[in-house]
Amino acid sequence: MPEGHTIHRAARLQAAALGSGPIAVASPQGRFSEGARLLDGSTLEGIEAVGKHLFYHWDRRPILHIHLGLFGRFSTFAGEAAPEPSPNARLTMAGDATIHLSGPTICELLDPLQVEQVKERLGPDPLDRDADSDAFVDALSRRSIPIGAALLDQSVVAGIGNVYRAELLFLEGIHPDRPAHSTSESERRRLWARAVELMQVGEGLGRIVTMDPRDVGAGSHRAIPKRARLYVYKRSFEPCRRCGTEITSWDVGGRRIWACVACQPS
DNA sequence: TACATATGATCAT
DNA sequence: TGATCCTATGTAA
């Protein structure tokens, strides 16, 4: 279930869990056997997250590039013996902890130049402390596509996916069909600030929670019932949590989006 | 058992 | 715009 927050969290937790010793790398499924052989027994120098991409840096080995896509998943086993990996496991890494990877869109080895080329295609990442928010604001001002589509374009902003785009546009009161360049500069700046805020929450919790506690009732995010974490995503025909208007959904940029057209006027 | 669905992205037309 | 790749899960049959 990967938007950028999942990826950054994985980088942080996996680096800590795997430890600094040699890592046994294998590919039970076989489609990454060659790469696994090359990495097997090497030590990990760090895991870098950029948008939805992960880069594993090893001691004198090529860089492992992973992108989970829609279906990719990690399973981490620490403190207990890891179970046999599923026959579909593309990659397993065993150090202090064991990690199984299945279903990634990308699992490949790259040299540093190729890594730079991947990064060059990405816009600023709200989870990057040094991100250039002006680049995001400028990119939106230059696009005539719907703002709902622009937020999914990873060259505009890296790490936002279908859940965050719908929730961000709700929270900022912006109709998803509005052309990106029709938004005001202050709307664009607020979108960025909100993305940073929401994705940091998501990184910390390991799931997407966008509701303001004031709209929920009280208590910590952990106490928020499953059904009450999001304002609009997948809530067709249900009442808006702010105004009661029925949530509607339609396609924007090739994906389903949900919105309250009363709170998000066109 | 089968089908629908999913927080993604690319490529062909 | 549509087809395609990748896997797991939940619901319907």
Side-chain angles (χ1 to χ4, degrees), chain A residues 227-245:
Chain A
R227 293 259 176 64
R229 290 177 188 146
L230 305 174
Y231 285 101
V232 292
Y233 179 75
K234 273 199 174 175
R235 294 192 65 242
S236 300
F237 308 118
E238 292 179 54
C240 172
R241 301 198 198 276
R242 288 263 173 86
C243 78
T245 300

Side-chain angles (χ1 to χ4, degrees), chain A residues 49-68:
Chain A
V50 185
K52 298 170 186 169
H53 298 257
L54 281 166
F55 301 102
Y56 294 69
H57 298 270
W58 309 86
D59 175 32
R60 298 187 308 171
R61 299 292 152 89
I63 297 150
L64 172 63
H65 175 212
I66 291 175
H67 190 296
L68 294 181

